[in-house]
Amino acid sequence: MAIVQVALPLPLRRVFDYQSNLPLPIKGCRVLVPFGKRTILGIVLSHNQNIKLNCKQLKTIEQVIDQESLFSDSLWSLLLWASQYYHHPIGKVLFHALPVLLRQGKVTTFNLRCKSEITQQGKTFSLNQLKKGPKQQHALVLLQQQPLYHHQITKHELNKNKSQTVIKLFPIQQKIESWHSTFHLCKKPKLNLEQSTAVGAISSKTTFMPWLLVGITGSGKTEVYLNVIENILSQGKQVLVLVPEISLTPQTIKRFSERFNAPVHLLHSALNNSERLAVWLRAQNGDSAIVIGTRSALFTSFANLGLIIIDEEHDNSYKQQDGWRYHARDLAVFLAKKENIPIIMGTATPSLESIYNIEQGKYHRLDITQRAGKAKLASQHLLDLKGQPLKYGMSNPLIQRIKDHLATNNQVMLFLNRRGYSPTLICHDCGWIAGCSRCDHYYTLHHYQRQLSCHHCNSQLPIPIQCAYCGSTHLVPVGLGTEQLEEAINQLFPNIPFTRIDRDTTRRKGALEKQLAPVYTGGARILIGTQMLAKGHHFPDITLVALLNVDGALFSSDYRATERFAQLYIQVSGRAGRAGKHGEVILQTYHPEHPLLSTLLKKGYNVFATETLAERRDVFLPPYSSHIMIRSEDHKNESAPIFLNKLRQYIEQHNMRDSQLWLMGPIPAIKAKLAGRFRWQLLLQHPSRSYLQQFFAHILPEIMAYPESRKVKWNIDVDPTEN
Ligand code: ADP
Ligand code: ZN
Ligand code: ZN
């Protein structure tokens, strides 16, 4: 008998002890255990063979599901570390990392690929004779007990050296054909000097090295990835590529799968659970050469990982915004370190965190400054809107430029970051505005769906006929959304085919590709869209990019808004003028003198980033300090602030010796009311990440013991990226 520590998928920050028969289940394996009146699935964390506890009080593990850990060693270390760093329950973290079907207890088929039988010699083989680690000894014990057991004895166990004498293997399933034997180098464009310098630098290191690859859109970063990947694959190793959801287009995928005669697998939100599990299994047993996926693909367990690539490393979609609020880029760097392999973070607009890490000597920067092939950089202009008559948000000079570009047979892209018909519906007689009562947020009018929709809580309502306040039927849409812009294009540019890309037009599977197709074939001349357009697409014939209204971003209360805007601007404007055609970017604004705009347009992103980092340093904002945000919410607006106030008092009392800990709040969140809940937040800031971590771990048990903590919904956000 021994005691086994098991992690259960519960919101409890503790592990559970069970007793187990021999042989002991291996850590990282799933077990079925009794919990209360139920039997639930858990994951073995560790064993405690020496403790002389009274085991009889402990319940017994009912069933061991896996014979081998579901996690690679490095993934296992990553998850244990992340559970502490993000102060998230270990059971939740481990289960989150598994494909849904495995969370539900499905038996993985790779465990059944071989039957193994012990030989006569093996039966009498003593553990001492086997000069191998605990894994191998464990496998031998298992085999001695049950001569036939359905388990693939993998290379790290017995089938090396002594194996022939100890066990016999009976394959019961054909091994999927390995790509290694047929892999060959492929045809590719000749790299320019900057590209080949980057490829050379990255490939010269096979150990851990975080590379920040900076190059504007179209500079040939993907081509650099492909060249480095080729080197890795030819060593028989696997590659993980993380991309933001939006860039996971068939175009991207085609580029990877057409280049290599090796299996490329995708992990994205449209896959069903068995498809996801299949990819996971193939990566785990080495059948997969490249896995491309979004944030959660990071938790794929690889047989032999040789490289991680994070494309668009600055993208905010790498941060999970609910439950376990991890940052996939930060975790990926940790994983690469554990695996001792290189990681490439590519972007046109590096996050300020990454630039800071360059300054600290933690990351290494490689720049690509020229556009690949024949493409040239676009010219950029500000268009002052003050006093200008507007037609649907467009000034006359802009309309004229659109006509000019269309006349030369080119394409035009209009960027408007607001979907729907108009952001407000107002009573012309009394000024009442239709608003969502659950969020204190105005409804957006959606003409086509014939409804009002709250973009905060996603609730919908039929379009009202009368004002809720005065009963007038004179309700007018005010403000411009993409739906209305589409109508405007029809009127201003009759007979010019166009297409619209936003969340409403691309909801269904395959819709994005369908909407984009006419842009590539030239069937659409005007492209209207939201920030969905900013990433991952190559539109060779777009020569004019116009940003209709971005002033909101210039005056936000969120200190990260300027960084986001700068990134968005560079991405969007980067769509203009590829394939050798001269491009033009026009930005309409009421504030052409705004310093952010002049820095960005005249001096570029690097100068913007340096200046913004200096500002953050002066006021100790991240990355020059660390943040932990505690959020709480309730329906009555009572317990949520009380809970955080109590927390603040407790922190103040217990932090006498450290004057650098700075607290902000409790204050209402930016979305102060969402879906009927009032939301509050308390921010902890400290220049030392490790101090903040330790201090918080220290006070966490106390927080959880507050009776108020059970009256509110609350969560912990380490390194928050949103308010
Ligand atoms: P990024 O990933 O930085 O946006 P890509 O790698 O997609 O840039 O390159 C942009 C375009 O230029 C692609 O069509 C690509 O095939 C082409 N390209 C990239 N590198 C070269 C090169 N060395 N020679 C010719 N064409 C290239
Ligand atoms: Zn009214
Ligand atoms: Zn709402």
Side-chain angles (χ1 to χ4, degrees):
M1 281 294 175
I3 298 174
V4 176
Q5 277 84 45
V6 178
L8 300 177
L10 305 170
L12 300 170
R13 286 175 174 81
R14 50 163 294 202
V15 296
F16 296 83
D17 288 341
Y18 288 90
Q19 52 174 316
S20 163
N21 301 318
L22 289 172
L24 290 178
I26 297 174
K27 70 176 184 190
C29 290
R30 291 167 301 164
V31 287
L32 276 175
V33 294
F35 186 80
K37 293 200 176 93
R38 298 176 294 159
T39 297
I40 62 174
L41 208 59
I43 293 172
V44 176
L45 275 178
S46 55
H47 305 131
N48 223 335
Q49 272 162 304
N50 299 326
I51 283 191
K52 296 214 164 51
L53 256 179
N54 187 358
C55 286
K56 289 205 181 97
Q57 290 172 351
L58 294 178
K59 293 184 179 164
T60 309
I61 288 177
E62 288 182 5
Q63 193 189 331
V64 178
I65 296 185
D66 308 296
Q67 312 298 335
E68 245 185 273
S69 173
L70 294 175
F71 307 88
S72 67
D73 290 344
S74 51
L75 190 53
W76 184 252
S77 320
L78 172 78
L79 296 170
L80 296 191
W81 174 81
S83 158
Q84 293 198 343
Y85 183 78
Y86 290 100
H87 304 280
H88 204 67
I90 182 65
K92 287 275 191 189
V93 167
L94 291 176
F95 274 83
H96 182 103
L98 288 178
V100 171
L101 289 178
L102 296 187
R103 288 180 218 168
Q104 294 168 349
K106 186 178 165 67
V107 176
T108 56
T109 44
F110 68 90
N111 274 343
L112 298 172
R113 268 228 315 267
C114 287
K115 265 202 283 191
S116 32
E117 192 178 337
I118 198 152
T119 60
Q120 209 51 36
Q121 222 181 329
K123 278 182 190 158
T124 54
F125 210 75
S126 127
L127 277 189
N128 303 335
Q129 275 174 274
L130 189 70
K131 290 195 184 62
K132 296 224 151 196
K135 263 189 184 168
Q136 290 81 358
Q137 301 197 349
H138 172 79
L140 182 65
V141 172
L142 271 180
L143 279 164
Q144 286 179 341
Q145 285 172 350
Q146 341 160 226
L148 254 185
Y149 105 92
H150 288 241
H151 167 38
Q152 183 196 15
I153 303 290
T154 54
K155 58 184 179 306
H156 57 266
E157 288 172 358
L158 287 168
N159 55 352
K160 269 186 194 159
N161 309 327
K162 292 253 165 68
S163 65
Q164 268 64 19
T165 58
V166 180
I167 54 164
K168 266 195 277 189
L169 290 175
F170 302 101
I172 51 173
Q173 216 181 54
Q174 205 65 44
K175 171 121 179 65
I176 300 167
E177 201 190 329
S178 162
W179 53 271
H180 302 90
S181 49
T182 52
F183 183 75
H184 57 76
L185 302 187
C186 41
K187 243 186 86 193
K188 53 188 187 236
K190 188 169 161 2
L191 298 181
N192 64 33
L193 185 62
E194 285 177 321
Q195 285 175 316
S196 54
T197 308
V199 172
I202 298 169
S203 300
S204 71
K205 283 259 181 192
T206 52
T207 51
F208 172 63
M209 185 62 81
W211 298 101
L212 186 69
L213 179 64
V214 184
I216 50 164
T217 319
S219 61
K221 292 185 296 299
T222 309
E223 201 49 53
V224 171
Y225 301 157
L226 293 169
N227 277 267
V228 179
I229 290 175
E230 185 177 55
N231 288 336
I232 300 288
L233 295 184
S234 57
Q235 297 162 33
K237 294 182 193 159
Q238 299 166 289
V239 179
L240 169 66
V241 183
L242 294 188
V243 297
E245 178 80 39
I246 210 84
S247 6
L248 203 54
T249 59
Q251 244 187 329
T252 319
I253 297 148
K254 217 169 120 202
R255 217 157 147 203
F256 283 83
S257 50
E258 278 180 356
R259 177 66 73 92
F260 304 114
N261 64 329
V264 177
H265 292 122
L266 303 179
L267 279 173
H268 57 83
S269 56
L271 294 188
N272 66 32
N273 288 338
S274 17
E275 288 168 326
R276 284 188 156 260
L277 178 60
V279 174
W280 192 90
L281 290 172
R282 303 190 92 182
Q284 205 201 36
N285 61 30
D287 294 333
S288 207
I290 303 174
V291 172
I292 308 179
T294 49
R295 187 173 61 220
S296 63
L298 177 70
F299 305 124
T300 312
S301 194
F302 286 89
N304 189 11
L305 189 61
L307 172 72
I308 303 176
I309 292 171
I310 315 272
D311 194 28
E312 315 278 9
E313 64 86 23
H314 64 278
D315 197 275
N316 202 30
S317 72
Y318 287 124
K319 175 87 159 100
Q320 169 104 356
Q321 301 292 5
D322 57 18
W324 171 27
R325 293 166 157 77
Y326 65 91
H327 200 300
R329 178 197 60 219
D330 299 349
L331 291 189
V333 173
F334 185 100
L335 186 69
K337 192 167 182 183
K338 280 282 156 194
E339 290 273 1
N340 201 19
I341 55 172
I343 174 168
I344 310 174
M345 292 165 271
T347 176
T349 51
S351 62
L352 296 190
E353 281 77 13
S354 293
I355 296 181
Y356 174 76
N357 281 326
I358 295 282
E359 284 174 7
Q360 300 289 305
K362 288 188 181 157
Y363 296 176
H364 302 267
R365 179 167 173 151
L366 296 165
D367 279 276
I368 309 187
T369 52
Q370 304 299 315
R371 281 199 157 177
K374 288 175 287 176
K376 290 187 215 74
L377 260 187
S379 58
Q380 309 171 60
H381 315 281
L382 290 174
L383 217 160
D384 192 350
L385 286 181
K386 285 193 290 289
Q388 290 271 359
L390 293 182
K391 288 195 187 98
Y392 299 99
M394 289 177 283
S395 60
N396 284 329
L398 174 60
I399 293 172
Q400 188 51 49
R401 289 309 289 154
I402 296 175
K403 284 183 180 152
D404 296 344
H405 280 264
L406 292 176
T408 48
N409 248 334
N410 287 315
Q411 288 172 315
V412 171
M413 178 171 136
L414 302 178
F415 174 82
L416 178 65
N417 216 1
R418 199 188 265 151
R419 66 195 168 90
Y421 189 84
S422 71
T424 44
L425 184 67
I426 299 183
C427 170
H428 195 64
D429 291 324
C430 78
W432 170 83
I433 307 177
C436 171
S437 58
R438 303 170 72 215
C439 300
D440 285 343
H441 181 69
Y442 298 135
Y443 275 122
T444 300
L445 174 67
H446 288 254
H447 238 7
Y448 293 131
Q449 289 112 313
R450 306 199 158 277
Q451 62 190 15
L452 296 180
S453 159
C454 169
H455 287 186
H456 283 182
C457 72
N458 255 329
S459 64
Q460 276 119 27
L461 211 69
I463 299 173
I465 297 162
Q466 285 186 305
C467 167
Y469 188 73
C470 75
S472 158
T473 53
H474 198 171
L475 301 180
V476 289
V478 173
L480 183 71
T482 47
E483 243 181 50
Q484 192 178 163
L485 184 59
E486 182 180 319
E487 214 173 85
I489 296 301
N490 251 332
Q491 281 183 23
L492 294 169
F493 307 100
N495 305 323
I496 300 281
F498 61 86
T499 186
R500 184 181 117 217
I501 310 279
D502 58 28
R503 258 205 291 148
D504 297 320
T505 62
T506 56
R507 235 174 261 279
R508 264 169 285 123
K509 198 175 165 179
L512 178 62
E513 288 70 54
K514 219 172 136 202
Q515 294 289 111
L516 282 176
V519 185
Y520 294 113
T521 56
R525 308 285 309 287
I526 300 178
L527 174 59
I528 302 168
T530 58
Q531 62 182 347
M532 287 187 79
L533 288 180
K535 294 164 208 149
H537 309 289
H538 304 267
F539 307 120
D541 288 322
I542 287 184
T543 50
L544 174 64
V545 167
L547 295 88
L548 297 200
N549 177 5
V550 292
D551 285 355
L554 303 177
F555 302 98
S556 165
S557 60
D558 184 347
Y559 76 89
R560 302 171 202 89
T562 47
E563 181 184 353
R564 297 244 174 86
F565 170 75
Q567 291 165 346
L568 184 69
Y569 173 76
I570 301 290
Q571 301 277 331
V572 172
S573 60
R575 304 294 131 194
R578 311 187 74 165
K581 293 191 182 178
H582 186 71
E584 178 179 7
V585 180
I586 296 178
L587 191 147
Q588 296 193 128
T589 176
Y590 285 97
H591 305 276
E593 74 296 336
H594 195 286
L596 172 58
L597 295 181
S598 45
T599 305
L600 211 48
L601 271 74
K602 295 204 185 95
K603 301 179 188 157
Y605 185 83
N606 284 335
V607 174
F608 156 80
T610 311
E611 288 181 4
T612 311
L613 267 177
E615 282 168 28
R616 291 210 191 161
R617 188 182 53 226
D618 293 345
V619 290
F620 301 110
L621 278 171
Y624 296 93
S625 66
S626 240
H627 279 173
I628 293 182
M629 177 91 89
I630 318 293
R631 299 196 187 83
S632 80
E633 50 187 70
D634 73 329
H635 285 287
K636 293 194 196 128
N637 212 11
E638 277 170 12
S639 305
I642 292 175
F643 169 63
L644 292 182
N645 257 317
K646 204 166 160 185
L647 188 59
R648 179 177 180 132
Q649 280 166 18
Y650 181 81
I651 292 172
E652 281 172 343
Q653 283 160 17
H654 286 78
N655 187 52
M656 299 306 278
R657 55 195 181 84
D658 196 301
S659 57
Q660 295 191 84
L661 181 73
W662 187 74
L663 298 173
M664 191 172 89
I667 54 164
I670 286 186
K671 291 177 188 170
K673 191 180 172 198
L674 184 70
R677 291 172 181 276
F678 293 88
R679 308 161 82 232
W680 290 78
Q681 61 192 36
L682 173 67
L683 183 72
L684 284 71
Q685 174 179 299
H686 197 281
S688 158
R689 183 179 300 261
S690 60
Y691 175 86
L692 190 62
Q693 281 291 335
Q694 280 170 25
F695 176 73
F696 193 74
H698 177 69
I699 62 168
L700 187 55
E702 179 73 17
I703 302 176
M704 292 190 301
Y706 287 161
E708 286 84 358
S709 75
R710 277 177 280 278
K711 291 187 194 153
V712 299
K713 239 180 103 179
W714 66 282
N715 64 65
I716 303 164
D717 195 349
V718 177
D719 308 329
T721 61
E722 275 183 7
N723 278 337

